Amino acid sequence: MGHIERAAQLLRTCDGVLIMAGAGMGVDSGLPDFRGPEGFWRAYPPFRSLGLHLEDMSNPQWFYQDPPLAWGFFGHRYGLYTKATPHDGFRILLDIGRAKERAREGNKPSFFVFTSNVDGQFQRQGFEEDRIVECHGSIHFMQCTDCRLPQCREIYPAEDLDKIQVDETTMRASSVPQCRGCGTNVARPNILMFGDYGWLSERTDAQYERYEAFLAAQKGSKLAVVEFGAGLHVPTVRRQSEYIVSRGRSTGEYEASLVRVNPRESQTPKGDEYLGVDIGALEFMKSVEPHLQDVLTASSGG
C-alpha cells in the first residue's frame, strides 16, 4: 500500500481528525513560508540590505524603536493574508471533518485545528473559531505595546489595517495604529514574537482550553493527526503532533496516528503510527480526496 492509500485509509477509518498546520500550509494559497534567510529576503528584499532576518523583524522591539518599520512589516503581512484565498485543501479538510462529525454517534466533536499560522486562513475557509488553536496568536487581533494600564489589557479585533500604506522599497508604514484603550501607545498585533514578554495570551489560553476539551472527548476514539508544512526551524507544531500521538499511547485515552505532510522535512519518529509524505498540502489533499468519496457521500446521505 502506497503512502497516499495508507493516509487515506487512516482518514477513512478514524473517528476524529486533528489538523496541525505550519507555515507550509499556506504556500499553495500564494503565501510565503519565509524558509531560511533567502526565503525571507525574497519576500522582503529591503531587509536584505539591512541584514535583517525573520527573527529580527518578528520582534516586539521594533514597535518601540521604530514603529513605522514594525508596521511596514506587519502591515504588509496583513495585506498578504487578507487578500489570499485559502487553497482547495482547506475545503477538503473541512468536508472530511464535518463528514466525520455527522457520522459519529453521541454528537462528539470530530475535528479540531492546531496552527502556528497567524493568517486566519482556516477561519476564512469556514472553520469555526471555537475549533482552532492559534498558538502564536493572530494578526487579525491587536493589543497595546504597554499593558500596565487596565484599559490596555484588552485584546481586540484589528480594524482599518488595510488603510496602512507601506512603501515596499523601504518597508516603512505611512501611519502607525494606536491602542484603542489608552489612545496614546502604539498598538501591535496580538502575535507571539521572538523575545516577546509583552504578548497577551488570554485569547490563545481560551483556545487551549477548548482544545483540551476536544481531546478529552476523544476517549476511546481513533484519532488521525494530519500535519501540514510544519518545519524544523520553529518546531512548535511538529512537537505538538508527536506529543498527541505519544500521549494517546501512554495514557490510553485514545489511539492516534500521525501523517506528516511536508515536501522537504517529512521525516518522522520510528513506528507504525507515523507516516511521512513528502509533497505539499494541496497535492496531498487532492490525492486523498478520491479515496474518501464513500465517507463523504455516505455521511451526507448521498
Side-chain angles (χ1 to χ4, degrees), residues 48-123:
R48 179 190 292 270
S49 61
L50 297 174
L52 296 173
H53 301 73
L54 172 62
E55 293 87 345
D56 301 315
M57 287 311 306
S58 187
N59 190 305
Q61 66 176 336
W62 297 107
F63 291 96
Y64 305 97
Q65 297 177 9
D66 194 343
L69 187 64
W71 272 109
F73 176 55
F74 281 99
H76 187 268
R77 286 180 71 181
Y78 179 84
L80 285 177
Y81 297 155
T82 54
K83 292 173 185 175
T85 299
H87 61 74
D88 206 37
F90 286 90
R91 189 270 306 167
I92 299 169
L93 281 168
L94 186 56
D95 286 348
I96 293 170
R98 287 175 172 169
K100 290 293 178 181
E101 202 150 276
R102 287 193 298 267
R104 196 170 191 179
E105 295 181 2
N107 297 317
K108 286 186 178 181
S110 295
F111 64 100
F112 213 95
V113 175
F114 184 102
T115 182
S116 60
N117 298 334
V118 301
D119 52 31
Q121 290 287 290
F122 282 98
Q123 289 93 331

Side-chain angles (χ1 to χ4, degrees), residues 239-260:
R239 288 174 179 170
Q240 181 66 201
S241 298
E242 293 171 14
Y243 161 73
I244 292 298
V245 175
S246 64
R247 171 175 161 174
R249 186 172 58 236
S250 63
T251 66
E253 294 174 87
Y254 50 78
E255 176 187 344
S257 298
L258 169 62
V259 181
R260 173 163 285 155

Side-chain angles (χ1 to χ4, degrees), residues 145-192:
T145 51
D146 187 343
C147 306
R148 288 176 293 182
L149 297 174
Q151 65 266 36
C152 296
R153 294 288 304 176
E154 180 187 16
I155 301 169
Y156 55 91
E159 296 177 351
D160 299 328
L161 294 191
D162 54 340
K163 295 181 180 178
I164 296 176
Q165 300 297 313
V166 178
D167 183 340
E168 295 193 14
T169 62
T170 63
M171 291 311 299
R172 299 184 71 82
S174 61
S175 60
V176 173
Q178 304 297 308
C179 169
R180 81 175 189 182
C182 63
T184 56
N185 293 323
V186 173
R188 52 163 280 187
N190 182 234
I191 291 173
L192 178 61

